[in-house]
Amino acid sequence: MSTPDSNRKPAPQFSSLRFSPAAAQNDDACGCDGACEAPATSAPKSVQGSRFSWNVNGMDCAACARKVENAVLQVSGVSQVQVVFATEKLLVDADRDVRQQVENAVTAAGYQLRNTDAPQEAAPSRLRENLPLISLIIMMALSWGLEQINHPAGQLAFVATTLVGLFPIARQALRLIKSGSWFAIETLMSIAAIGALFIGATAEAAMVLLLFLIGERLEAWAASRARQGVSALMALKPEIAVRVRDGQRETVAQRDLRPGDVIEVAAGGRLPADATLLSPFASFDESALTGESVPVDRNAGERVAAGATSVDRLAQLTVVSEPGDSAIDRILKLIEEAEERRAPIERFIDRFSRIYTPAIMLVALLVAVVPPLMMSAAWLPWIYKGLTLLLIGCPCALVISTPAAITSGLAAAARRGALIKGGAALEQLGRVRQVAFDKTGTLTVGKPQVTAIIGANAMNNNDLLALAAAVEQGSSHPLAQAIVQEAQSRQLTIPAAAAQRALAGSGIEAEVNGQKVLICAAGKFPAPEWDEQVQQLENAGQTVVIVAQNDTLLGLLALRDTLRADAREAVDALHQIGVQGVILTGDNPRAAAAIAAELGLDYRAGLLPADKVTEVNALNARAPLAMVGDGINDAPAMKAATIGIAMGGGTDVALETADAALTGNRLTGLVQMIRLARATHANIRQNIAIALGLKGIFLVTTLLGITGLWLAVLADTGATVLVTANALRLLRKK
């Protein structure tokens, strides 16, 4: 069945999706408040010398990318460095061959490099990957059991557990120190554990390391899943194509296609490259790229983007894009560009440790040695006070305060059908003041439904629907399937049809009970007396088709992609918490206007992926913005937004590219997610205030001689218990 002209739109000009390297950024522009471990360098430009590239293994977060950059910048001869975290790619410009030195520097920092053309190594088994964490959990349980039976044995067991957990972390901290990253979170964790052992808090030392390793594994899992989304995006282009030369068909690799090659794509097949249509007519599903809710008709000479699916026939096309420069490739580059524009969010504890840990150690050292040296005071009391300060300064409570709240917040969100990929995403979600919605599949169900049946000349509506279903039966077109499903849901008897024939650019016809029945777009059948009613339906965002028998109009069918049941409730709830909404869609303006009016939202329609990124950047400049979508075309906009949120029923690419997902596919979950994120952010602030406040109080009392070691132990342990209990309140939040 042909798509009606009311839903027809010009072929999208995907050639406008161009990628240009981000401008050079300085520390102020990167947005990380001075937290980056090395200045975020721009994409390497053409310089006198050579460019080298690798893939990096072992990066768990954006902060890891900064650590790799920092290590490579120490290599003599390197002029430009860029690590693209989304694709695990390292790009280096140098005035000479520095490959060996770069590989040595990255290896010394604790990461691995492989050539970009080398095959991906097989991932280790889950058991092997998680063996260190499982071993530490078992040792913690055994240590706790021994502590209940025999205190000295339990203490020794906790010491052994701490040393086992500390070894890989301390080794990585030393590597990073050598590569120029002095106060990474590994350094902080090593200091915290050693400090806790020094004052005898052995159980606490082991627990801090256990929590840290759990957080690292969760972060690594989220990063791996995100990269799978990039792989899924690339998989939209088939690896092989059917090329036609001199009337002969041959199967070739997609990368071997060149502009001017003629290719064939079967019904249901995807285009391997951008191309122009040679066949007189074909219908293509471009929803993955444009968000268009129904397939779009293309005539000979019109451009079709890579990744589009031929809906109803074998089509011949002429390739127009170079390898690596198709619409899919450009969307992938847009995702990477958006990733680079967003400054990496350093974890609070990693930033604060740069000041806090050295400062508290310096204060403890000065308290221990200055009075005896400068004022001839007794050594023993002041060493005792210095040790007490080290205990008070032990950042165990501070280290636990943030991950405890984040873990509770993420767990509470999961119970409510929301997947939030890490603490950084949770923090950003709490700052959101605007939400941009994709339309098709996000605010709407994403499947056309029959909304009106209007018979002419006393034609029975059910008879009209059954007749239309007979003609459409067996078609793969979404509108046709909607008509057949509506007839089946009404339990109508659908008559048999014969001689079904698709009419290029017009509609479909068949013989039913010996009569020729035609179904076509409203604009393809002359019926001036129906023009006003057709116009009213189309202005309401509906697609109208005409059913005619032997050139006599029998009636109209109207179809529309309907709103989700909870869409209005979700939008109203967002307004109540001070969050405004806007629709960004690739669909036609009339369909967008109808949905926007029903929900009371502003809208922008007819947007390509690059246009959505532009709109998101403009909105983001006013206030933190969340982008909610379900399609591949939404992925670049999700990355450009403060936070990207995918519908659980959306494409794999949208789900993996997004920072969060509504796994239950309920829009009302978005409001719950934002409220929970705000509560978690408040909880983190409370925990930090508790941890630092108690330390500040006991710092003063220690210097005044009021607090001894045993009270310092109580203060540190008490702070840890308080922040943990406070974080657990999030699990009970309604």
Side-chain angles (χ1 to χ4, degrees), residues 71-293:
V72 176
L73 283 171
Q74 310 298 316
V75 176
S76 175
V78 170
S79 56
Q80 294 270 11
V81 181
Q82 183 195 15
V83 176
V84 183
F85 177 66
T87 53
E88 297 183 279
K89 186 175 290 184
L90 167 64
L91 300 173
V92 176
D93 277 352
D95 55 14
R96 56 187 174 84
D97 189 347
V98 293
R99 283 175 291 185
Q100 190 59 52
Q101 293 92 318
V102 168
E103 290 172 6
N104 292 341
V106 174
T107 301
Y111 303 93
Q112 298 82 43
L113 294 180
R114 73 175 192 276
N115 293 330
T116 52
D117 56 353
Q120 176 71 48
E121 296 179 3
S125 66
R126 290 192 176 184
L127 177 61
R128 181 180 175 185
E129 196 173 29
N130 293 293
L131 190 58
L133 178 59
I134 295 171
S135 300
L136 200 61
I137 292 173
I138 294 172
M139 291 184 70
M140 277 291 295
L142 292 174
S143 300
W144 183 84
L146 278 174
E147 177 69 19
Q148 308 308 308
I149 301 170
N150 187 303
H151 176 68
Q155 289 294 295
L156 288 174
F158 277 125
V159 170
T161 301
T162 302
L163 293 177
V164 169
L166 180 61
F167 176 73
I169 298 171
R171 182 178 59 180
Q172 179 67 2
L174 290 174
R175 287 173 172 173
L176 292 171
I177 289 172
K178 291 178 181 178
S179 66
S181 300
W182 286 85
F183 294 108
I185 194 166
E186 289 83 0
T187 306
L188 173 64
M189 292 305 305
S190 299
I191 294 172
I194 292 171
L197 283 180
F198 183 72
I199 53 83
T202 54
E204 192 173 46
M207 180 57 71
V208 166
L209 295 174
L210 178 60
L211 288 174
F212 175 73
L213 289 178
I214 290 173
E216 290 293 296
R217 290 305 311 141
L218 290 173
E219 198 170 56
W221 175 82
S224 174
R225 295 284 293 176
R227 294 189 186 107
Q228 288 177 19
V230 176
S231 301
L233 176 59
M234 298 174 68
L236 276 178
K237 291 189 306 179
E239 289 297 320
I240 58 174
V242 176
R243 184 168 62 189
V244 181
R245 281 187 174 176
D246 302 324
Q248 300 297 316
R249 290 164 177 79
E250 56 179 343
T251 300
V252 299
Q254 175 268 328
R255 63 177 177 273
D256 294 332
L257 294 176
R258 294 294 182 273
D261 287 348
V262 176
I263 58 173
E264 277 189 351
V265 178
R270 289 190 181 274
L271 269 67
D274 293 354
T276 55
L277 188 62
L278 280 178
S279 302
F281 166 83
S283 185
F284 291 91
D285 180 358
E286 299 178 352
S287 58
L289 297 165
T290 67
E292 184 71 44
S293 54

Side-chain angles (χ1 to χ4, degrees), residues 5 20 38 64 93 167 175 194 204 274 283 320 326 336 339 348 414 437 470 486 489 503 545 567 666 731:
D5 281 353
S20 58
C64 295
D93 277 352
F167 176 73
R175 287 173 172 173
I194 292 171
E204 192 173 46
D274 293 354
S283 185
V320 296
S326 68
E336 293 181 357
E339 176 85 11
F348 170 81
F437 295 97
E486 179 66 19
S489 68
L503 305 177
V545 297
R666 294 173 53 255
L731 295 174

Side-chain angles (χ1 to χ4, degrees), residues 316-638:
Q316 281 198 347
L317 306 98
T318 302
V319 174
V320 296
S321 64
E322 294 282 353
D325 195 36
S326 68
I328 295 295
D329 296 312
R330 289 188 287 275
I331 290 178
L332 183 62
K333 290 173 183 176
L334 280 171
I335 293 174
E336 293 181 357
E337 184 184 32
E339 176 85 11
E340 286 304 298
R341 280 202 304 269
R342 292 176 60 193
I345 302 170
E346 297 286 342
R347 288 167 288 190
F348 170 81
I349 204 67
D350 195 22
R351 295 199 302 262
F352 193 74
S353 67
R354 299 166 187 263
I355 302 170
Y356 175 81
T357 306
I360 203 69
M361 293 179 68
L362 178 60
V363 169
L365 179 62
L366 291 175
V367 166
V369 302
V370 169
L373 290 176
M374 304 295 294
M375 296 178 289
S376 300
W379 281 93
L380 188 59
W382 285 103
I383 290 177
Y384 182 84
K385 289 181 180 180
L387 293 175
T388 306
L389 281 180
L390 276 179
L391 172 59
I392 293 170
C394 179
C396 297
L398 189 60
V399 169
I400 291 173
S401 62
T402 301
I406 288 173
T407 301
S408 297
L410 296 179
R415 289 181 181 178
R416 292 161 177 78
L419 171 64
I420 304 175
K421 298 179 181 178
L426 191 66
E427 183 179 357
Q428 293 288 10
L429 187 60
R431 298 173 180 168
V432 164
R433 293 296 178 271
Q434 301 179 95
V435 174
F437 295 97
D438 174 52
K439 182 183 76 69
T440 305
T442 301
L443 292 172
T444 65
V445 177
K447 295 181 180 179
Q449 293 181 345
V450 176
T451 54
I453 305 171
I454 305 171
N457 301 322
M459 179 73 177
N460 181 273
N461 287 350
N462 284 342
D463 292 342
L464 178 65
L465 179 62
L467 195 61
V471 176
E472 298 285 18
Q473 200 161 27
S475 173
S476 61
H477 198 289
L479 295 182
Q481 291 177 347
I483 292 171
V484 174
Q485 288 171 3
E486 179 66 19
Q488 291 173 341
S489 68
R490 298 189 181 200
Q491 298 182 339
L492 302 181
T493 300
I494 302 176
Q500 288 174 307
R501 182 168 71 99
L503 305 177
S506 177
I508 185 171
E509 68 176 15
E511 288 186 7
V512 182
N513 298 326
Q515 305 292 319
K516 185 177 73 173
V517 179
L518 168 70
I519 299 178
C520 66
K524 299 292 183 180
F525 190 93
E529 68 276 15
W530 291 82
D531 285 351
E532 184 177 349
Q533 189 159 14
V534 169
Q535 188 68 32
Q536 289 176 353
L537 291 169
E538 290 184 345
N539 287 340
Q542 301 186 68
T543 298
V544 181
V545 297
I546 281 179
V547 183
Q549 181 175 285
N550 296 328
D551 298 327
T552 300
L553 189 144
L554 298 181
L556 307 177
L557 298 180
L559 301 95
R560 181 180 171 186
D561 190 7
T562 57
L563 275 176
R564 289 185 182 274
D566 62 343
R568 182 75 209 187
E569 179 186 353
V571 171
D572 290 343
L574 285 173
H575 290 160
Q576 290 174 7
I577 62 173
V579 177
Q580 302 303 312
V582 62
I583 299 174
L584 304 180
T585 179
D587 216 338
N588 66 76
R590 278 184 291 190
I595 296 296
E598 197 167 341
L599 293 175
L601 295 174
D602 192 10
Y603 72 93
R604 316 276 192 279
L607 303 178
L608 296 177
D611 301 325
K612 285 190 177 184
V613 171
T614 301
E615 291 289 344
V616 164
N617 286 334
L619 292 167
N620 227 2
R622 301 179 204 165
L625 172 82
M627 175 68 199
V628 185
D630 75 316
I632 294 167
N633 62 302
D634 302 318
M638 288 180 181

